[in-house]
Amino acid sequence: MIVTLTANPSLDRTITLPAPLQVGDVQGAQSAREDAGGKGINVARAVVAAGEPCVAVLPLAMDDPFDTALRGSGLDAHRVPIAGHVRANLAITDPAGITTKLNLPGARLSPDEISAVVDATVTAAAGARWLVLAGSLPPGVPDDFYVRVIEAVRAVHGAQAPLIAVDASGPALAAAVAHGHPDLIKPNDEELGDLVGADLTGADAQTALDVARALVPDRVGAALVTLGARGALLVDADGAWAAVPPPIRVVSTVGAGDSSLAGYVLAHVRGQQADERLRLAVHYGAAAASLPGTQAPAPDDLPLGDVPLTRLT
Ligand SMILES: O=P(O)(O)OC[C@@]1(O)O[C@H](CO)[C@@H](O)[C@@H]1O
């Protein structure tokens, strides 16, 4: 079983434009859709679509309209009651596959609500193979929140604790790497650069590897670094591999990284080796980018074509 925690879920509104976005202009949209989103929820949707059991933990008020979209997704969700309401994030996509994303801060959590989210995650993690901690932290939640969750899960479950993946950015990721020793992190090029104070935007796999090696395995068990259309890099204690996606038509890149993480975890629970985990991660990321909105890919959505892989070390 896989458990995900989304501390800051979002109702993802995607607007598709028939022409490139013109800032400051009035433009007619072609279509719109809404998905129950937030990084951990997106991971959970891809995992469930692949037939693996998954529980998604999230803070959610009883009367939140987000629950309608969440129920529609068919996820097994553990809702931790809070007073605030889920944010709505906006993605605007154009015919060239360029996405503009506007994210709101999210509902403020009180100290009691934060403790309830930690407790619910510890409970849900019993017997799980993976715990995926994903996304930004909402207002009121301190930067070391993921460290707190990791420590609580490991303290309660000991040797039976699940492997823990962290998909975050900025101070939340920095704290998790400095103090939590996650089993896996999944930064993109920019987030990895922020972590070490370097500009890695657009970097190739070898450059990203040189940076990631400073973290793996001393600070994190492994790093899956997504590089957008250039594919991804996997670094663990035993080696490093790079993979590139098959050709696709990009529709919406929102959630592609989440699907990559889902692909990695799915391959891991199926007993696949590091290179095959990376291959499935890249395949899932490509599938998500070829689907509209934050739609999570099912196995049938995986694009045809190879995912060429190179061993780097
Ligand atoms: O504010 P965060 O949590 O960093 O990002 C939120 C978000 O952009 O991430 C997902 C795509 O990865 C979307 O479902 C959601 O809108």
Side-chain angles (χ1 to χ4, degrees):
M1 206 239 312
I2 293 158
V3 174
T4 70
L5 169 61
T6 311
N8 202 4
S10 80
L11 186 67
D12 287 340
R13 297 209 167 102
T14 307
I15 293 180
T16 304
L17 295 178
L21 176 67
Q22 303 292 333
V23 175
D25 242 357
V26 175
Q27 277 179 276
Q30 193 173 305
S31 61
R33 59 175 288 140
E34 285 186 351
D35 297 286
K39 291 184 165 46
I41 290 168
N42 299 342
V43 171
R45 286 194 285 125
V47 166
V48 167
E52 293 293 334
C54 188
V55 172
V57 180
L58 71 156
L60 188 65
M62 309 273 249
D63 63 344
D64 197 314
F66 179 82
D67 208 24
T68 307
L70 184 63
R71 285 182 194 285
S73 73
L75 277 187
D76 183 2
H78 186 114
R79 301 158 177 80
V80 180
I82 58 162
H85 287 99
V86 168
R87 60 188 168 153
N89 288 345
L90 184 64
I92 302 166
T93 61
D94 79 5
I98 295 173
T99 302
T100 304
K101 189 94 168 58
L102 302 173
N103 286 358
L104 286 169
R108 174 171 292 276
L109 300 191
S110 70
D112 284 351
E113 290 170 343
I114 294 169
S115 297
V117 172
V118 175
D119 292 348
T121 307
V122 170
T123 304
R129 297 278 307 281
W130 276 93
L131 170 62
V132 175
L133 310 175
S136 62
L137 303 177
V141 178
D143 294 339
D144 64 356
F145 172 73
Y146 286 141
V147 179
R148 182 172 163 191
V149 175
I150 292 170
E151 287 176 349
V153 167
R154 289 181 179 155
V156 171
H157 299 297
Q160 268 71 52
L163 294 166
I164 299 180
V166 175
D167 180 6
S169 56
L173 176 61
V177 168
H179 307 293
H181 204 282
D183 299 288
L184 178 74
I185 57 170
K186 197 230 61 70
N188 60 26
D189 45 2
E190 210 179 314
E191 292 161 346
L192 180 66
D194 284 352
L195 198 55
V196 297
D199 182 4
L200 288 182
T201 311
D204 61 19
Q206 186 60 54
T207 310
L209 169 61
D210 295 341
V211 171
R213 258 284 160 246
L215 306 172
V216 180
D218 289 350
R219 298 244 150 248
V220 303
L224 171 64
V225 185
T226 49
L227 303 170
R230 286 161 287 125
L233 161 78
L234 176 64
V235 194
D236 71 10
D238 302 322
W241 301 260
V244 293
I248 54 156
R249 190 175 83 81
V250 176
V251 177
S252 163
T253 51
V254 181
D258 311 335
S259 290
S260 296
L261 179 53
Y264 179 94
V265 169
L266 281 167
H268 188 276
V269 298
R270 291 171 181 166
Q272 293 183 343
Q273 297 302 305
D275 53 348
E276 288 306 319
R277 285 180 231 147
L278 174 63
R279 218 190 276 276
L280 199 62
V282 169
H283 222 156
Y284 261 81
S290 65
L291 293 171
T294 326
Q295 215 173 306
D300 282 353
D301 296 315
L302 298 186
L304 297 173
D306 269 358
V307 177
L309 194 110
T310 316
R311 177 144 197 165
L312 299 178
T313 57

PDB file of all heavy atoms in Angstrom, residues 120-147:
ATOM      1  N   ALA A 120      -2.799  11.743  11.739  1.00  0.00           N
ATOM      2  CA  ALA A 120      -3.526  10.964  10.712  1.00  0.00           C
ATOM      3  C   ALA A 120      -2.548  10.298   9.755  1.00  0.00           C
ATOM      4  O   ALA A 120      -2.756   9.158   9.314  1.00  0.00           O
ATOM      5  CB  ALA A 120      -4.476  11.882   9.935  1.00  0.00           C
ATOM      6  N   THR A 121      -1.453  10.987   9.450  1.00  0.00           N
ATOM      7  CA  THR A 121      -0.464  10.421   8.526  1.00  0.00           C
ATOM      8  C   THR A 121       0.248   9.233   9.179  1.00  0.00           C
ATOM      9  O   THR A 121       0.457   8.197   8.536  1.00  0.00           O
ATOM     10  CB  THR A 121       0.557  11.501   8.104  1.00  0.00           C
ATOM     11  OG1 THR A 121      -0.163  12.630   7.617  1.00  0.00           O
ATOM     12  CG2 THR A 121       1.492  10.997   7.020  1.00  0.00           C
ATOM     13  N   VAL A 122       0.581   9.385  10.458  1.00  0.00           N
ATOM     14  CA  VAL A 122       1.234   8.278  11.185  1.00  0.00           C
ATOM     15  C   VAL A 122       0.307   7.059  11.195  1.00  0.00           C
ATOM     16  O   VAL A 122       0.740   5.933  10.923  1.00  0.00           O
ATOM     17  CB  VAL A 122       1.589   8.716  12.622  1.00  0.00           C
ATOM     18  CG1 VAL A 122       2.038   7.518  13.447  1.00  0.00           C
ATOM     19  CG2 VAL A 122       2.679   9.788  12.598  1.00  0.00           C
ATOM     20  N   THR A 123      -0.957   7.278  11.461  1.00  0.00           N
ATOM     21  CA  THR A 123      -1.918   6.162  11.497  1.00  0.00           C
ATOM     22  C   THR A 123      -2.047   5.511  10.119  1.00  0.00           C
ATOM     23  O   THR A 123      -1.989   4.279   9.987  1.00  0.00           O
ATOM     24  CB  THR A 123      -3.306   6.684  11.951  1.00  0.00           C
ATOM     25  OG1 THR A 123      -3.136   7.324  13.206  1.00  0.00           O
ATOM     26  CG2 THR A 123      -4.319   5.556  12.072  1.00  0.00           C
ATOM     27  N   ALA A 124      -2.185   6.340   9.087  1.00  0.00           N
ATOM     28  CA  ALA A 124      -2.371   5.801   7.725  1.00  0.00           C
ATOM     29  C   ALA A 124      -1.131   5.038   7.259  1.00  0.00           C
ATOM     30  O   ALA A 124      -1.231   4.106   6.449  1.00  0.00           O
ATOM     31  CB  ALA A 124      -2.693   6.935   6.753  1.00  0.00           C
ATOM     32  N   ALA A 125       0.043   5.416   7.777  1.00  0.00           N
ATOM     33  CA  ALA A 125       1.307   4.818   7.305  1.00  0.00           C
ATOM     34  C   ALA A 125       1.523   3.396   7.810  1.00  0.00           C
ATOM     35  O   ALA A 125       2.456   2.725   7.350  1.00  0.00           O
ATOM     36  CB  ALA A 125       2.489   5.701   7.704  1.00  0.00           C
ATOM     37  N   ALA A 126       0.686   2.933   8.732  1.00  0.00           N
ATOM     38  CA  ALA A 126       0.868   1.573   9.275  1.00  0.00           C
ATOM     39  C   ALA A 126       0.774   0.554   8.136  1.00  0.00           C
ATOM     40  O   ALA A 126      -0.229   0.500   7.426  1.00  0.00           O
ATOM     41  CB  ALA A 126      -0.198   1.285  10.333  1.00  0.00           C
ATOM     42  N   GLY A 127       1.808  -0.211   7.944  1.00  0.00           N
ATOM     43  CA  GLY A 127       1.795  -1.271   6.932  1.00  0.00           C
ATOM     44  C   GLY A 127       2.056  -0.791   5.511  1.00  0.00           C
ATOM     45  O   GLY A 127       2.061  -1.597   4.574  1.00  0.00           O
ATOM     46  N   ALA A 128       2.283   0.515   5.322  1.00  0.00           N
ATOM     47  CA  ALA A 128       2.497   1.029   3.953  1.00  0.00           C
ATOM     48  C   ALA A 128       3.931   0.754   3.496  1.00  0.00           C
ATOM     49  O   ALA A 128       4.856   0.677   4.303  1.00  0.00           O
ATOM     50  CB  ALA A 128       2.229   2.527   3.908  1.00  0.00           C
ATOM     51  N   ARG A 129       4.124   0.594   2.171  1.00  0.00           N
ATOM     52  CA  ARG A 129       5.468   0.441   1.593  1.00  0.00           C
ATOM     53  C   ARG A 129       6.113   1.814   1.374  1.00  0.00           C
ATOM     54  O   ARG A 129       7.315   1.968   1.505  1.00  0.00           O
ATOM     55  CB  ARG A 129       5.384  -0.281   0.235  1.00  0.00           C
ATOM     56  CG  ARG A 129       4.842  -1.694   0.282  1.00  0.00           C
ATOM     57  CD  ARG A 129       5.906  -2.714   0.686  1.00  0.00           C
ATOM     58  NE  ARG A 129       7.124  -2.668  -0.122  1.00  0.00           N
ATOM     59  CZ  ARG A 129       7.252  -3.199  -1.334  1.00  0.00           C
ATOM     60  NH1 ARG A 129       6.234  -3.835  -1.895  1.00  0.00           N
ATOM     61  NH2 ARG A 129       8.399  -3.121  -1.990  1.00  0.00           N
ATOM     62  N   TRP A 130       5.295   2.761   0.946  1.00  0.00           N
ATOM     63  CA  TRP A 130       5.799   4.110   0.682  1.00  0.00           C
ATOM     64  C   TRP A 130       4.885   5.145   1.323  1.00  0.00           C
ATOM     65  O   TRP A 130       3.652   4.985   1.318  1.00  0.00           O
ATOM     66  CB  TRP A 130       5.837   4.399  -0.826  1.00  0.00           C
ATOM     67  CG  TRP A 130       7.072   3.902  -1.508  1.00  0.00           C
ATOM     68  CD1 TRP A 130       7.229   2.692  -2.132  1.00  0.00           C
ATOM     69  CD2 TRP A 130       8.323   4.588  -1.654  1.00  0.00           C
ATOM     70  NE1 TRP A 130       8.490   2.585  -2.646  1.00  0.00           N
ATOM     71  CE2 TRP A 130       9.187   3.734  -2.373  1.00  0.00           C
ATOM     72  CE3 TRP A 130       8.805   5.835  -1.248  1.00  0.00           C
ATOM     73  CZ2 TRP A 130      10.497   4.097  -2.691  1.00  0.00           C
ATOM     74  CZ3 TRP A 130      10.115   6.189  -1.568  1.00  0.00           C
ATOM     75  CH2 TRP A 130      10.948   5.331  -2.281  1.00  0.00           C
ATOM     76  N   LEU A 131       5.485   6.206   1.831  1.00  0.00           N
ATOM     77  CA  LEU A 131       4.743   7.402   2.231  1.00  0.00           C
ATOM     78  C   LEU A 131       5.293   8.544   1.381  1.00  0.00           C
ATOM     79  O   LEU A 131       6.497   8.820   1.411  1.00  0.00           O
ATOM     80  CB  LEU A 131       4.965   7.691   3.724  1.00  0.00           C
ATOM     81  CG  LEU A 131       4.447   9.044   4.221  1.00  0.00           C
ATOM     82  CD1 LEU A 131       2.937   9.162   4.046  1.00  0.00           C
ATOM     83  CD2 LEU A 131       4.833   9.258   5.687  1.00  0.00           C
ATOM     84  N   VAL A 132       4.413   9.179   0.618  1.00  0.00           N
ATOM     85  CA  VAL A 132       4.827  10.267  -0.270  1.00  0.00           C
ATOM     86  C   VAL A 132       4.340  11.590   0.322  1.00  0.00           C
ATOM     87  O   VAL A 132       3.134  11.798   0.477  1.00  0.00           O
ATOM     88  CB  VAL A 132       4.226  10.058  -1.688  1.00  0.00           C
ATOM     89  CG1 VAL A 132       4.565  11.246  -2.576  1.00  0.00           C
ATOM     90  CG2 VAL A 132       4.738   8.763  -2.302  1.00  0.00           C
ATOM     91  N   LEU A 133       5.282  12.453   0.685  1.00  0.00           N
ATOM     92  CA  LEU A 133       4.959  13.771   1.242  1.00  0.00           C
ATOM     93  C   LEU A 133       5.156  14.780   0.119  1.00  0.00           C
ATOM     94  O   LEU A 133       6.293  14.981  -0.325  1.00  0.00           O
ATOM     95  CB  LEU A 133       5.890  14.091   2.417  1.00  0.00           C
ATOM     96  CG  LEU A 133       6.012  13.000   3.494  1.00  0.00           C
ATOM     97  CD1 LEU A 133       7.060  13.387   4.533  1.00  0.00           C
ATOM     98  CD2 LEU A 133       4.658  12.768   4.156  1.00  0.00           C
ATOM     99  N   ALA A 134       4.074  15.374  -0.340  1.00  0.00           N
ATOM    100  CA  ALA A 134       4.215  16.118  -1.596  1.00  0.00           C
ATOM    101  C   ALA A 134       3.491  17.458  -1.593  1.00  0.00           C
ATOM    102  O   ALA A 134       2.345  17.561  -1.174  1.00  0.00           O
ATOM    103  CB  ALA A 134       3.699  15.256  -2.752  1.00  0.00           C
ATOM    104  N   GLY A 135       4.200  18.461  -2.091  1.00  0.00           N
ATOM    105  CA  GLY A 135       3.602  19.761  -2.345  1.00  0.00           C
ATOM    106  C   GLY A 135       4.029  20.825  -1.345  1.00  0.00           C
ATOM    107  O   GLY A 135       4.759  20.564  -0.385  1.00  0.00           O
ATOM    108  N   SER A 136       3.536  22.039  -1.601  1.00  0.00           N
ATOM    109  CA  SER A 136       3.883  23.178  -0.753  1.00  0.00           C
ATOM    110  C   SER A 136       3.167  23.063   0.591  1.00  0.00           C
ATOM    111  O   SER A 136       2.221  22.283   0.741  1.00  0.00           O
ATOM    112  CB  SER A 136       3.483  24.484  -1.445  1.00  0.00           C
ATOM    113  OG  SER A 136       2.075  24.511  -1.646  1.00  0.00           O
ATOM    114  N   LEU A 137       3.630  23.848   1.542  1.00  0.00           N
ATOM    115  CA  LEU A 137       2.995  23.874   2.861  1.00  0.00           C
ATOM    116  C   LEU A 137       2.090  25.103   2.932  1.00  0.00           C
ATOM    117  O   LEU A 137       2.509  26.198   2.539  1.00  0.00           O
ATOM    118  CB  LEU A 137       4.065  23.932   3.955  1.00  0.00           C
ATOM    119  CG  LEU A 137       5.067  22.769   3.908  1.00  0.00           C
ATOM    120  CD1 LEU A 137       6.136  22.937   4.986  1.00  0.00           C
ATOM    121  CD2 LEU A 137       4.337  21.432   4.074  1.00  0.00           C
ATOM    122  N   PRO A 138       0.866  24.944   3.437  1.00  0.00           N
ATOM    123  CA  PRO A 138      -0.046  26.093   3.483  1.00  0.00           C
ATOM    124  C   PRO A 138       0.350  27.069   4.590  1.00  0.00           C
ATOM    125  O   PRO A 138       1.180  26.724   5.448  1.00  0.00           O
ATOM    126  CB  PRO A 138      -1.400  25.438   3.776  1.00  0.00           C
ATOM    127  CG  PRO A 138      -1.090  24.157   4.446  1.00  0.00           C
ATOM    128  CD  PRO A 138       0.245  23.711   3.914  1.00  0.00           C
ATOM    129  N   PRO A 139      -0.249  28.268   4.608  1.00  0.00           N
ATOM    130  CA  PRO A 139       0.064  29.244   5.658  1.00  0.00           C
ATOM    131  C   PRO A 139      -0.135  28.643   7.052  1.00  0.00           C
ATOM    132  O   PRO A 139      -1.046  27.839   7.259  1.00  0.00           O
ATOM    133  CB  PRO A 139      -0.944  30.376   5.404  1.00  0.00           C
ATOM    134  CG  PRO A 139      -1.294  30.249   3.953  1.00  0.00           C
ATOM    135  CD  PRO A 139      -1.214  28.791   3.621  1.00  0.00           C
ATOM    136  N   GLY A 140       0.739  29.015   7.980  1.00  0.00           N
ATOM    137  CA  GLY A 140       0.637  28.520   9.352  1.00  0.00           C
ATOM    138  C   GLY A 140       1.471  27.279   9.597  1.00  0.00           C
ATOM    139  O   GLY A 140       1.715  26.910  10.745  1.00  0.00           O
ATOM    140  N   VAL A 141       1.892  26.620   8.528  1.00  0.00           N
ATOM    141  CA  VAL A 141       2.636  25.362   8.685  1.00  0.00           C
ATOM    142  C   VAL A 141       4.138  25.665   8.585  1.00  0.00           C
ATOM    143  O   VAL A 141       4.592  26.209   7.570  1.00  0.00           O
ATOM    144  CB  VAL A 141       2.218  24.339   7.598  1.00  0.00           C
ATOM    145  CG1 VAL A 141       3.024  23.058   7.732  1.00  0.00           C
ATOM    146  CG2 VAL A 141       0.729  24.044   7.704  1.00  0.00           C
ATOM    147  N   PRO A 142       4.908  25.344   9.625  1.00  0.00           N
ATOM    148  CA  PRO A 142       6.343  25.674   9.593  1.00  0.00           C
ATOM    149  C   PRO A 142       7.121  24.875   8.559  1.00  0.00           C
ATOM    150  O   PRO A 142       6.716  23.774   8.173  1.00  0.00           O
ATOM    151  CB  PRO A 142       6.826  25.343  11.014  1.00  0.00           C
ATOM    152  CG  PRO A 142       5.730  24.604  11.675  1.00  0.00           C
ATOM    153  CD  PRO A 142       4.477  24.734  10.877  1.00  0.00           C
ATOM    154  N   ASP A 143       8.261  25.441   8.169  1.00  0.00           N
ATOM    155  CA  ASP A 143       9.083  24.827   7.112  1.00  0.00           C
ATOM    156  C   ASP A 143       9.538  23.406   7.463  1.00  0.00           C
ATOM    157  O   ASP A 143       9.831  22.615   6.570  1.00  0.00           O
ATOM    158  CB  ASP A 143      10.346  25.675   6.860  1.00  0.00           C
ATOM    159  CG  ASP A 143      10.014  27.036   6.273  1.00  0.00           C
ATOM    160  OD1 ASP A 143       8.906  27.173   5.708  1.00  0.00           O
ATOM    161  OD2 ASP A 143      10.848  27.949   6.397  1.00  0.00           O
ATOM    162  N   ASP A 144       9.639  23.105   8.766  1.00  0.00           N
ATOM    163  CA  ASP A 144      10.139  21.772   9.138  1.00  0.00           C
ATOM    164  C   ASP A 144       9.013  20.750   9.310  1.00  0.00           C
ATOM    165  O   ASP A 144       9.205  19.696   9.919  1.00  0.00           O
ATOM    166  CB  ASP A 144      10.985  21.848  10.416  1.00  0.00           C
ATOM    167  CG  ASP A 144      10.166  22.289  11.623  1.00  0.00           C
ATOM    168  OD1 ASP A 144       8.967  22.612  11.455  1.00  0.00           O
ATOM    169  OD2 ASP A 144      10.726  22.321  12.731  1.00  0.00           O
ATOM    170  N   PHE A 145       7.842  21.065   8.738  1.00  0.00           N
ATOM    171  CA  PHE A 145       6.687  20.163   8.890  1.00  0.00           C
ATOM    172  C   PHE A 145       6.995  18.745   8.389  1.00  0.00           C
ATOM    173  O   PHE A 145       6.670  17.755   9.047  1.00  0.00           O
ATOM    174  CB  PHE A 145       5.498  20.749   8.114  1.00  0.00           C
ATOM    175  CG  PHE A 145       4.313  19.828   8.041  1.00  0.00           C
ATOM    176  CD1 PHE A 145       3.504  19.591   9.147  1.00  0.00           C
ATOM    177  CD2 PHE A 145       3.989  19.181   6.841  1.00  0.00           C
ATOM    178  CE1 PHE A 145       2.408  18.738   9.081  1.00  0.00           C
ATOM    179  CE2 PHE A 145       2.897  18.328   6.764  1.00  0.00           C
ATOM    180  CZ  PHE A 145       2.099  18.113   7.887  1.00  0.00           C
ATOM    181  N   TYR A 146       7.626  18.640   7.235  1.00  0.00           N
ATOM    182  CA  TYR A 146       7.899  17.284   6.708  1.00  0.00           C
ATOM    183  C   TYR A 146       8.882  16.530   7.612  1.00  0.00           C
ATOM    184  O   TYR A 146       8.796  15.314   7.730  1.00  0.00           O
ATOM    185  CB  TYR A 146       8.419  17.358   5.270  1.00  0.00           C
ATOM    186  CG  TYR A 146       7.341  17.693   4.244  1.00  0.00           C
ATOM    187  CD1 TYR A 146       7.595  18.545   3.179  1.00  0.00           C
ATOM    188  CD2 TYR A 146       6.069  17.132   4.345  1.00  0.00           C
ATOM    189  CE1 TYR A 146       6.613  18.842   2.238  1.00  0.00           C
ATOM    190  CE2 TYR A 146       5.080  17.424   3.416  1.00  0.00           C
ATOM    191  CZ  TYR A 146       5.355  18.281   2.361  1.00  0.00           C
ATOM    192  OH  TYR A 146       4.371  18.564   1.436  1.00  0.00           O
ATOM    193  N   VAL A 147       9.796  17.271   8.244  1.00  0.00           N
ATOM    194  CA  VAL A 147      10.726  16.620   9.178  1.00  0.00           C
ATOM    195  C   VAL A 147       9.923  16.056  10.352  1.00  0.00           C
ATOM    196  O   VAL A 147      10.142  14.922  10.793  1.00  0.00           O
ATOM    197  CB  VAL A 147      11.778  17.631   9.691  1.00  0.00           C
ATOM    198  CG1 VAL A 147      12.730  16.954  10.674  1.00  0.00           C
ATOM    199  CG2 VAL A 147      12.536  18.248   8.525  1.00  0.00           C
TER     200      VAL A 147
END
